[in-house]
Amino acid sequence: MVTVSDTKVTWLTQDAYNRLKQELDEAIENRPVIAAKINASREEGDLKENGGYHAAREEQGQAEARIRHLQELLRSA
């Protein structure tokens, strides 16, 4: 049995929900751009000394974390 206190609910205004949904959609649409940056940087050579590659991977990690966070917020709204 699940009670109200057992579930995590996020209260959002419709405006906040719409804004977060738009941010999520834009982040998902931006995935191929980040992947292209990673591929372009990978082609530059040695990955150990490739700052652009590591920066692109860091950007990808942050973007994916934000996507997961937004999906969870919107799922529980």
Side-chain angles (χ1 to χ4, degrees):
M1 180 165 153
V2 177
T3 62
V4 173
S5 62
D6 292 339
T7 61
K8 181 180 175 187
V9 176
T10 303
W11 294 95
L12 297 172
T13 63
Q14 186 64 48
D15 183 52
Y17 181 91
N18 293 342
R19 188 174 36 83
L20 293 172
K21 177 70 170 128
Q22 181 179 358
E23 181 183 347
L24 174 61
D25 293 342
E26 289 172 2
I28 290 172
E29 289 174 11
N30 197 35
R31 279 177 168 164
V33 174
I34 296 172
K37 285 183 191 177
I38 291 171
N39 286 335
S41 296
R42 185 181 295 138
E43 291 173 2
E44 292 175 4
D46 186 13
L47 296 181
K48 253 193 287 187
E49 299 177 9
N50 190 334
Y53 173 78
H54 293 291
R57 288 297 305 252
E58 179 69 22
E59 180 182 359
Q60 181 186 40
Q62 291 174 353
E64 290 299 321
R66 182 65 178 161
I67 288 170
R68 285 190 303 275
H69 178 73
L70 289 171
Q71 287 173 331
E72 184 57 35
L73 268 175
L74 296 173
R75 187 178 304 119
S76 65

